[in-house]
Amino acid sequence: MKHLIDPMDLSKQETDEIISLAQDIIAHRERYQGSMSHRKLATLFYEPSTRTRLSFTSAMMELGGNVLGFSDARNSSVSKGETVQDTVRVVGCFADVIAMRHSIEGAQLYATEVSRVPIINAGDGSHSHPTQTLTDLLTIQRELGRIDGITIGFCGDLRFGRTVHSLIKALSRYKDIKVILIAPQELKLPDYIKRDVCERTGIPYREVETMEEVMPELDVLYMTRVQKERFLDEDEFDRVKDSFVLDAARMSLAKKKMAVLHPLPRVNEILTEVDADPRAAYFRQVENGKFVREALIVKLHEWKDDPEHGMPAQEEPVYDDTLRCVNPKCICNNEHAPHKFRRGEDDVLRCWYCDSKVR
Ligand code: NCD
């Protein structure tokens, strides 16, 4: 069975198949209406969402399927203390596929260990957001006509922005990608992405302090919101909250053919004066999210019983009872998930569920 917890759960070929199916759905919407009739999607959202939850809902409706679930865990048995694994066991009796968002990192991966239906990670803490990645890839393809060979600048909260982490991972499989990281010291990209993704796969990246110095070379500018809810320290948030703002003057430095993406919601990091610029792709990106989720639902259903499309082979986990994950927001510090680790670059041990470095 295929789950989508991390962008690397899909091979490059599977990713490309989803992107091209989404394009076919856009071109021939009527062909897919009814393809999921009598099937049910459960949306289990333990954390706020507008776009992601509604686009999953809308995607399933377009395919003629039904949707059930909750958008506020306080109204579910979670408030009685039910674990993620138990909830998923129960919901698997009612639905054919589950889309889950959780503020606890690794919650969805832990849930796959007991699930009898495919689970789609709709965002886990500041860790991963693979369906936003599919949305972003489709948007880049549609805006620029290619993904290979782009120079992409990630700007804003690269530390807590899960959409950034997942997109960089996925881009590591395309050709000649250049990554430029534009962030203040406090919001820099986590080390595990730099070392285990960029350095391991050889994506060139560089870190800069201002947008101006790199605007002219970008094919894609990926803007992000400072993730207020992930900060443990409010003063730190106040110091960085207005770090980078995109305005018309900065846009005037960019190439004529360029695309500004943002997973949304925006707060103040893109002025509304940019919205009318033809390069502002963020609202088109939202609609792409619906089409790509339709394609994903269709493909996960098609692959469900196909051994050719299982989960990718994993290295053996390391079990060590003397070690603990250092991340208070990891599933293994919130539920009874085992203390399980994977070996990263340079023999570093990382938590199996959230990738935090433990040794
Ligand atoms: C993002 C998310 O939830 O991570 N939004 C989304 O899914 N479109 C980005 C954000 O919240 O800033």
Side-chain angles (χ1 to χ4, degrees), residues 20-300:
S20 27
L21 177 58
Q23 286 175 298
D24 201 57
I25 293 174
I26 293 166
H28 309 284
R29 288 168 73 162
E30 65 302 334
R31 281 191 201 160
Y32 296 89
Q33 283 160 1
S35 60
M36 285 292 128
S37 64
H38 306 298
R39 310 236 166 251
K40 292 181 273 320
L41 164 76
T43 55
L44 310 185
F45 277 61
Y46 295 76
E47 202 188 39
S49 167
T50 306
R51 263 151 303 276
T52 306
R53 189 173 61 81
L54 294 184
S55 73
F56 267 114
T57 303
S58 170
M60 193 57 169
M61 286 172 164
E62 291 261 334
L63 298 169
N66 291 305
V67 184
L68 61 161
F70 55 78
S71 56
D72 184 345
R74 282 172 304 184
N75 296 332
S76 76
S77 283
V78 174
S79 63
K80 301 180 190 164
E82 187 168 61
T83 64
V84 164
Q85 285 201 337
D86 280 359
T87 302
V88 156
R89 279 194 180 98
V90 169
V91 174
C93 303
F94 309 138
D96 303 285
V97 54
I98 295 174
M100 186 197 292
R101 170 170 285 195
H102 210 300
S103 58
I104 297 297
E105 296 172 18
Q108 293 88 336
L109 179 57
Y110 184 50
T112 61
E113 294 172 7
V114 298
S115 184
R116 66 185 209 192
V117 300
I119 297 188
I120 302 170
N121 177 4
D124 64 321
S126 50
H127 188 222
S128 299
H129 195 347
T131 64
Q132 183 64 44
T133 297
L134 294 172
T135 305
D136 301 338
L137 293 175
L138 175 63
T139 305
I140 297 170
Q141 178 64 44
R142 293 189 77 197
E143 294 291 318
L144 301 178
R146 66 191 166 108
I147 301 173
D148 288 328
I150 59 163
T151 298
I152 177 166
F154 289 94
C155 180
D157 189 347
L158 313 188
R159 176 175 165 201
F160 295 120
R162 55 194 174 192
T163 66
V164 173
H165 306 161
S166 288
L167 182 54
I168 293 180
K169 275 191 180 179
L171 286 173
S172 71
R173 297 198 290 208
Y174 290 82
K175 290 196 200 98
D176 301 325
I177 303 292
K178 290 198 188 75
V179 167
I180 302 181
L181 306 169
I182 313 159
Q185 199 56 42
E186 295 87 338
L187 298 180
K188 286 206 182 308
L189 191 71
D191 178 60
Y192 83 92
I193 306 277
K194 282 191 216 159
R195 294 176 67 100
D196 286 1
V197 181
C198 297
E199 284 163 27
R200 180 138 80 178
T201 60
I203 298 191
Y205 71 92
R206 68 183 211 271
E207 300 187 282
V208 299
E209 302 279 325
T210 68
M211 274 164 117
E212 287 80 348
E213 63 192 285
V214 293
M215 271 318 256
E217 49 182 303
L218 300 180
D219 300 301
V220 176
L221 173 60
Y222 195 98
M223 295 295 296
T224 60
R225 162 183 81 89
V226 179
Q227 307 274 304
K228 183 175 185 186
E229 68 277 26
R230 315 263 180 236
F231 280 78
L232 296 173
D233 174 354
E234 208 166 306
D235 291 342
E236 191 181 12
F237 169 74
D238 284 335
R239 270 200 308 281
V240 295
K241 69 178 195 294
D242 299 321
S243 291
F244 292 99
V245 175
L246 183 63
D247 57 11
R250 291 191 171 104
M251 282 300 284
S252 72
L253 304 172
K255 288 183 186 170
K256 290 223 159 21
K257 194 166 167 65
M258 180 257 206
V260 181
L261 271 63
H262 190 310
L264 303 179
R266 83 171 136 188
V267 183
N268 58 350
E269 59 281 349
I270 303 181
L271 296 191
T272 51
E273 67 188 23
V274 179
D275 296 357
D277 189 306
R279 296 166 292 184
Y282 30 92
F283 292 114
R284 295 189 288 277
Q285 187 181 356
V286 175
E287 196 177 17
N288 289 333
K290 182 189 71 175
F291 296 124
V292 98
R293 290 182 175 98
E294 282 184 53
L296 175 65
I297 292 168
V298 169
K299 284 288 173 194
L300 288 184

